[in-house]
Amino acid sequence: MALWGGRFQKGVDQFTQEFGASLEVDKNMAQQDIAGSRAHARMLAKQGIISQDDQKAIDAGLQDISQQIKDGTFPWDVNDEDVHMAVESKLTQAIGQPGARLHTGRSRNDQVATDIRLLAKDLASQLMHGNVELRRVVLQQAQQHLGVVMPGYTHLQHAQPVLLSHHLLAYFWMFTRDYVRLRAAYDAADANPLGSAALAGTTYPLDRQYTTQLLGFDHAIPNSMDAVSDRDYLLDLEYACSVAMMHFSRLCEEIVMWSSTEFGFITLSDSYSTGSSIMPQKKNPDFAELTRGKTGRVYGDLMALLTTMKSLPLAYNKDLQECKEGPLDAAKTLSDCMEIAAGMLETMTVHDDVMLSQAGKGFTAATDVADYLAKKGMPFRQAHEVVGKLVLYCEQHHKGLEDLTAQEFKAASPLFEDDVAQDLDPAGIANARNTYGGTGMKAVQVQLGEAVDALKADEQNLPR
Ligand code: ARG
């Protein structure tokens, strides 16, 4: 039912009414809407703008509606344009006059902004919890597989041996920064627009600090026009989701490759794989692929809102009604993908032997052989040249560096002695890199300690 009957002689037709409505998506913020209204009514009563009795009736009526919505018994009416109208009109039907006083000193413009900010805080908070859960799994896998050696890649070509734990921890730190971005989105949403009314504030003596406190916002937004018309905090949330999805797309791409016959590094649990309707042998990493694929829609959500917001004149414009689906979709998608990623990682089988045998292939010891010469006094550039030629020699003779005889080494440079063979062991190569942040066992142990501390700090700082 429209709330502006006075000015109008006829209503819009059914299709137009539905086109203009946001009721369906608004149902996701019904509880936030009720929380905002309860705070508004309490503030109105404290300020003597409505009576204490009216406030009590409003509060009881709203609590009743909240329960009906939770129970699924609330009579949603498609003729209500949005959740604000749905709740207010049912409240007024239920309690009469006091319900009709609720909207004093308020507009749907500050009301919807309040609801969305409360929703954005809830979404960011849920995602931060999910992020912490996922990092716990990554960390636990890094601890459990400490010592497993695998090839490290650049350009997807074998580069140097690394520890699997080091590779996993690289994702841990990416996800740690995802947490920081989610936190920033949470903080950006954490400001109270209520009391800004349509755009200009109001003549009623509203106490905006009081509703700020009641609703648990950090502060009241200092400009009523800014308060009702920006949605930048939703962009922050969608950006945080987009970057997190980008990180997942990388992890999932690796899971897909690692579980292929060519790599054979991991086997995914049956619970995170699917078969083929025609090829009986198939075991497909569908969920990793789907996560990789869903990255696109989350980027789309970000681009959609950026585009909707572009060039909007101040203050409220109906375009802003379009701002809700995207963040809800982005947050739900990320939340689901975090759960899937955690499950896949937790249940996968790691084939240490395959990783190790691959770690030595593709001349991954070449840098260390060059370093061997450099440590014996040859300038590194020259050593690089000598080993480059040695690799070419190996390729021409279908050999690996580990297959070369002492004579072949010595023919390349007289500085080579028999002990060069020790420098060809992939585990030794990986574990020798103990500069801070390196892949050596000692350095990774330091890193694991830092990861434990970082996770603990974030766990202790979770909202609510
Ligand atoms: N359904 C609207 C939205 O979601 C609520 C605010 C409407 N305000 C207005 N002046 N039309 O944005």
Side-chain angles (χ1 to χ4, degrees), residues 19 39 43 69 138 142 151 155 219 235-236 244 263 287 326 337-338 353 355 364 383 385 394 399 413 426 436 439:
F19 179 79
M43 183 276 296
I69 293 173
V138 176
H155 313 272
H219 61 276
L235 291 170
D236 292 341
F263 277 79
F287 304 103
C337 290
M338 284 194 294
D353 49 338
M355 285 192 174
T364 53
E385 173 87 15
C394 286
K399 287 182 167 193
S413 165
Y436 177 74
T439 193

Side-chain angles (χ1 to χ4, degrees), residues 22 26 81-82 84 108-109 112 316 318 320-321 324:
S22 61
D26 282 3
E81 181 185 314
D82 53 29
H84 325 297
R108 280 184 302 150
N109 297 351
V112 70
Y316 180 87
K318 184 79 167 180
L320 293 173
Q321 183 167 285
K324 301 160 200 161

Side-chain angles (χ1 to χ4, degrees), residues 113-149:
T114 304
D115 296 2
I116 298 171
R117 282 179 174 271
L118 290 171
L119 177 67
K121 284 178 67 179
D122 288 344
L123 295 175
S125 165
Q126 285 162 24
L127 292 171
M128 288 161 76
H129 281 83
N131 171 285
V132 159
E133 284 302 317
L134 171 66
R135 277 155 69 202
R136 213 174 274 147
V137 172
V138 176
L139 188 54
Q140 178 240 316
Q141 289 295 313
Q143 279 159 338
Q144 188 182 323
H145 296 289
L146 191 60
V148 175
V149 179

